[in-house]
């Protein structure tokens, strides 16, 4: 099954002819399930397989009849943006019995289905694996009962299973994110942001109860994303006496002038003795001990509802395609696998290893081995908990270490959502490490003008949910003002620098590194965090702010497409930002279901435009009513958005009409997404800890002196790992003229977008086919989900 790395294989070599694949959704619904179903259907049809829907989950498989229907390309149109699951989901007691599975096997064999794609939780996937193990025995029983021919046992000898985890709780071990989790976080954060405004007006305390009967992921990450005062989760019950500590914390926060408190409670929260901690109990506690005006909000099933986020659509689409590839490559000896996310890569893991690890977590919780339960949840969960404790719980001044180091933080370049969360995290982690933290307004322009001030813990309260840059940010580079900046660094005795920004931030650090020989003030540890909606910084797969921009693009595309409902056939031409980087156009196109995305990195000419028009014309002759084309703003000097709009309008006459829309700066605005809040928070915390380490390493004879390459770094996500890379080493990987990396991982997603839009293309599967063991999916220094 594993393909040799050196061998380049394209998926045309993997034929699905003669194969039948069925897809079902089981258990609780989750936003993004429809995107996964769509990807399975279209990829399956693309490789020549027959694809079937199984409606109502395992119940539909047992009942058979019209519950099992052949799918067409058009039957999954307009499904991408719909929440829940269009093909239905149901709990099925009958499938748990041998007789129920016998009926299900009969219904599949009648249609020649021996490949099953199951989208659900661990219970659904465990049931699928049992079904697979019993398959040959079930067929023999069906032959004995005269329900199928004897030769069917050999013809349909093996059932192949591939799983995808659809669960808003993110409670499945082996994957960084399950389908639906990011969307559920969007619902929670939308509510928290709304509640915070009314809470401030009335000086109220709000207790929010979120889903998570056995897993506290949603509670923990939403607490991190909104800066909640207290969080209660099942994996780590509070120590005895927590009630008094919580009330002290709330009282101290109010005494510093804060007008609200937020407490987040996972529905399955327990104390150390196994007694449930309910949101009502927490409310009564606060009222009794503090007399604060307190309200309870139970979010309930609103967390399952609504449109899937851009992250969930992309995740589900990638997983769906990978699931079909896994089914094409599987043999009778291949264990059932589950498609998972590790970092920004899709991986295949043995299904039952993941299920067993998931069950181990619950066993550890039941036996009150809470530290172990947190570790078993994975490095991402553990890091989330550690970061929350670091940022939310302020130590008394007497307990803080005294480092005598001064650290400055500033934003450089264009504003990006999540910058403020990163600054808040840097300030609070820095104070916890014993440093004095200084904020610089308006980037390096403000630096040389002396717009520098010390910031305290409470100065950055409530910053996580704020969009833009509260510090102010400019594109000014430091080289021309090096002498004045050096003077300000002497004045404030700045010992380390944290720069949060886009391509200009990278250029700034390179310039500061190059003038170290002339100015000793720059011989200090310096770190850059990539923050730009364009995602055009080398050395990282993702930048702070890009996810928020993607969601803005996808939400707008959904509305634009919806505006054509009930009208004649229509194609929309949408222009996105990004400079010369086509990330937003490509990944936004994948998430919005675009037919084409024009970018600078993939040159196109009039023949390509003509082919796209003809392709859309053919699609419009079927039941498909709408087309969507994205164009990156600098994709081509001559083939402008207006030109493409006029070309499509002219060539589509009589078949479809055209509309255009330039999204502009709305992509830079708005509150940061949960992903960007946590990405900024966790990256910044890691960067500050690295700076602290470097400060100690380079402190000699009463001063800090750092002039080595590895003291001036960018922190980025490479594959599955967060890595500090010297900015000097990134020069060879950078196209400075067009301000983009020379190699970009997301270009591999372009064929996937084309396949799902019904284009014939090559899809590189050279890195597919490797089933990894769960224990091998977390490199030593990995923080693979990084943001989440």
């Amino acid at each position: 099954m594993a393909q040799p790395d050196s061998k380049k294989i394209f998926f045309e070599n993997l034929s699905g002819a003669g194969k039948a694949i069925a897809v079902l959704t089981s258990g609780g619904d989750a936003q993004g399930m429809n995107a996964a179903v769509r990807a399975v259907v279209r990829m399956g049809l693309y490789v020549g397989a027959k694809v079937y829907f199984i409606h109502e989950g395992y119940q539909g498989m047992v009942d058979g009849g019209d519950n099992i229907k052949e799918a067409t390309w058009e039957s999954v149109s307009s499904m991408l943006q719909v929440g829940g699951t269009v093909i239905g989901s149901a709990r099925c007691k009958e499938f748990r019995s041998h007789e129920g599975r016998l009926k299900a096997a009969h219904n599949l064999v009648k249609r020649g289905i021996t490949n099953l794609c199951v989208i659900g939780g661990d219970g659904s996937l465990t049931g699928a694996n049992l079904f697979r193990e019993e398959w040959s025995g079930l067929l023999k029983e069906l032959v004995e009962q005269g329900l199928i021919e004897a030769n069917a046992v050999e013809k349909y000898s093996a059932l192949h299973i591939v799983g995808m985890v659809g669960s808003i709780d993110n409670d499945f071990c082996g994957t960084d994110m399950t389908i639906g989790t990011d969307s559920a976080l969007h619902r929670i954060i939308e509510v928290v942001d709304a509640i915070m405004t009314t809470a401030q007006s009335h000086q109220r305390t709000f207790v929010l109860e979120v889903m998570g009967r056995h897993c506290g992921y949603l509670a923990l990450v939403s607490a991190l994303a909104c800066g909640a005062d207290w969080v209660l989760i099942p994996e780590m019950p509070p120590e005895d006496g927590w009630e008094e500590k919580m009330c002290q914390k709330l009282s101290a926060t109010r005494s510093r002038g804060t007008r609200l408190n937020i407490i987040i409670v996972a529905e399955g929260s327990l104390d150390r003795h196994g007694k449930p901690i309910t949101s009502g109990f927490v409310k009564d506690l606060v009222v009794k001990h503090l007399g604060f005006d307190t309200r309870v909000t139970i979010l309930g099933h609103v967390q399952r509802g609504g449109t899937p986020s851009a992250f969930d659509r992309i995740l589900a689409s990638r997983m769906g395609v990978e699931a079909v590839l896994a089914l094409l490559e599987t043999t009778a000896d291949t264990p059932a696998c589950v498609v998972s996310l590790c970092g920004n890569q899709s991986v295949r893991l043995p299904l039952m290893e993941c299920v067993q690890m998931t069950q181990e977590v619950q066993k550890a919780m039941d036996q009150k081995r809470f530290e172990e339960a947190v570790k078993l949840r994975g490095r991402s969960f553990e890091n989330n908990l550690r970061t929350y404790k670091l940022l939310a719980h302020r130590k008394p001044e007497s307990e803080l270490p005294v480092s005598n180091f001064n650290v400055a933080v500033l934003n450089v370049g264009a504003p990006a959502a999540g910058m403020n969360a990163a600054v808040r995290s840097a300030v609070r982690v820095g104070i916890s490490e014993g440093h004095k933290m200084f904020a610089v307004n308006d980037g390096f322009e403000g630096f040389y003008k002396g717009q520098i001030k010390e910031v305290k813990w409470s100065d950055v309260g409530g910053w996580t949910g704020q969009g833009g840059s509260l510090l102010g940010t400019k594109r000014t580079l430091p080289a021309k003002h090096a002498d004045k900046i050096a003077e300000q660094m002497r004045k404030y005795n700045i010992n380390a620098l944290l720069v949060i920004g886009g391509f200009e931030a990278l250029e700034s650090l390179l310039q500061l590194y190059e003038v170290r020989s002339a100015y000793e003030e720059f011989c200090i540890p310096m770190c850059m965090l990539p923050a730009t909606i364009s995602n055009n910084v080398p050395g990282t797969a993702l930048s702070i702010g890009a996810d928020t921009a993607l969601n803005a693009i996808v939400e707008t595309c959904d509305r634009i497409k919806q505006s054509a409902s009930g009208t004649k056939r229509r194609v929309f031409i949408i222009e996105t930002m990004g400079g010369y980087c086509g990330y937003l156009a490509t990944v936004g196109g994948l998430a919005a279901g675009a037919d084409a995305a024009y970018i600078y990195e993939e040159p196109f000419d009039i023949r390509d435009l003509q082919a796209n028009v003809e392709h859309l014309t053919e699609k419009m002759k079927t039941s498909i009513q709408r087309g969507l084309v994205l164009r990156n703003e600098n994709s081509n000097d001559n083939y402008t958005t207006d030109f493409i709009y006029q070309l499509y309008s002219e060539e589509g006459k009589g078949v479809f009409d055209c509309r255009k829309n330039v999204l502009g700066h709305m992509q830079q605005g708005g509150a940061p997404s949960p992903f960007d809040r946590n990405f900024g928070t966790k990256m910044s915390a890691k960067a500050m800890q690295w700076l602290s380490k470097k400060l100690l390493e380079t402190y000699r004879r009463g001063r800090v002196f750092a002039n080595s390459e590895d003291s001036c770094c960018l922190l980025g996500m490479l594959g599955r790992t967060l890595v500090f890379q010297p900015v000097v080493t990134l020069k060879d990987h950078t196209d400075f003229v067009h301000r983009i990396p020379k190699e970009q991982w997301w270009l591999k997603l372009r064929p996937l977008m084309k396949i799902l839009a019904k284009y014939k293309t090559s899809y590189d599967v050279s890195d597919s086919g490797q089933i990894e063991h769960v224990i091998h999916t977390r490199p030593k220094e990995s923080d693979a989900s990084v943001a989440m």
Side-chain angles (χ1 to χ4, degrees), residues 542-709:
L542 294 171
S543 298
I544 299 164
D547 183 71
T548 304
L550 276 177
N551 278 287
I553 291 167
V554 169
E555 286 166 18
T556 307
C557 288
D558 286 350
R559 291 182 184 184
I560 287 171
K561 287 199 294 184
Q562 193 178 48
S563 72
S565 297
T567 65
K568 60 181 179 177
R569 294 180 175 91
R570 183 165 287 168
V571 174
F572 296 94
I573 315 293
I574 312 291
E575 182 183 300
T576 67
M577 293 176 80
Y580 285 95
C581 181
Y583 175 81
L584 291 179
T586 296
V587 182
L590 177 60
D595 295 278
Y598 300 120
I599 63 171
Y600 167 78
E601 293 92 340
E602 192 174 283
F604 59 97
D605 57 25
I606 194 68
R607 290 182 294 273
D608 297 309
L609 293 171
Q610 185 62 39
N612 293 150
V613 173
E614 290 170 3
H615 181 80
L616 271 167
T617 303
E618 284 301 310
K619 284 177 75 173
M620 292 290 179
K621 289 176 182 175
T622 66
S623 60
I624 293 172
Q625 299 287 316
R626 289 159 289 179
L628 184 66
V629 175
L630 271 63
R631 177 188 175 272
N632 170 245
E633 59 184 348
N634 288 346
S635 56
N636 190 290
D637 291 337
N638 297 311
Y639 300 131
T640 62
T641 302
D642 282 336
F643 178 92
I644 293 172
Y645 162 70
Q646 289 167 4
L647 176 70
Y648 273 69
S649 296
E650 183 62 30
E651 296 297 319
K653 273 184 181 176
V655 181
F656 59 81
D657 68 353
C658 234
R659 295 287 186 276
K660 67 174 177 177
N661 195 297
V662 178
L663 300 186
H665 282 77
M666 65 174 292
Q667 296 159 83
Q668 268 184 319
S673 67
F675 188 100
D676 278 329
R677 296 182 195 204
N678 287 287
F679 196 12
T681 298
K682 291 171 71 177
M683 290 272 281
S684 195
K686 194 174 183 75
M688 282 304 303
Q689 289 167 334
W690 179 84
L691 284 173
S692 294
K693 182 184 171 190
K694 286 291 178 186
L695 283 166
L696 291 173
E697 287 176 2
T698 57
Y699 185 71
R700 297 286 185 275
R701 296 176 187 156
R703 59 172 290 197
V704 173
F705 186 83
N707 64 352
S708 60
E709 288 185 2

Side-chain angles (χ1 to χ4, degrees), residues 292-411:
F292 290 173
D293 184 3
T294 307
R295 299 285 191 276
V296 171
T297 299
I298 299 174
L299 298 189
H301 282 74
V302 71
Q303 294 160 87
R304 286 194 189 279
T307 300
S309 66
F311 184 100
D312 273 327
R313 298 184 198 196
I314 296 158
L315 174 67
S317 297
R318 291 178 70 185
M319 282 186 168
V321 168
E322 186 68 24
V324 172
L325 292 175
L327 287 171
L328 293 180
E329 295 171 359
T330 193
T331 66
D333 300 323
T334 307
C337 75
V338 61
V339 180
S340 298
L341 177 76
C342 189
N344 67 337
Q345 298 177 1
S346 293
V347 296
R348 302 177 196 171
L349 303 173
L351 172 60
M352 292 316 293
E353 277 189 29
C354 295
V355 169
Q356 284 160 12
M357 274 192 70
T358 304
Q359 292 169 347
E360 282 296 319
V361 179
Q362 189 59 50
K363 195 183 294 181
M365 288 161 61
D366 292 341
Q367 295 173 0
K368 299 183 180 180
R369 292 180 282 118
F370 301 117
E371 295 285 349
E372 187 179 339
V374 169
K375 280 188 170 63
L376 286 168
R377 277 277 180 236
R379 190 176 291 272
S380 171
F381 190 94
E382 200 175 357
N383 283 347
N384 279 321
L385 185 57
R386 190 183 306 117
T387 306
Y388 174 78
K389 287 178 178 177
L390 199 60
L391 297 174
H393 300 293
R394 182 182 183 181
K395 290 181 182 176
E397 297 284 339
S398 58
E399 291 182 24
L400 290 174
V402 180
S403 71
N404 294 319
F405 293 126
N406 295 347
V407 182
V409 58
L410 67 158
N411 296 333

Side-chain angles (χ1 to χ4, degrees), residues 528 530 539-542 683 714-718 721-725:
M528 172 197 163
T540 187
L542 294 171
M683 290 272 281
L714 175 147
L715 173 58
M717 179 184 176
L718 292 181
T721 313
L722 279 176
V723 182
F724 289 94
Q725 303 149 84

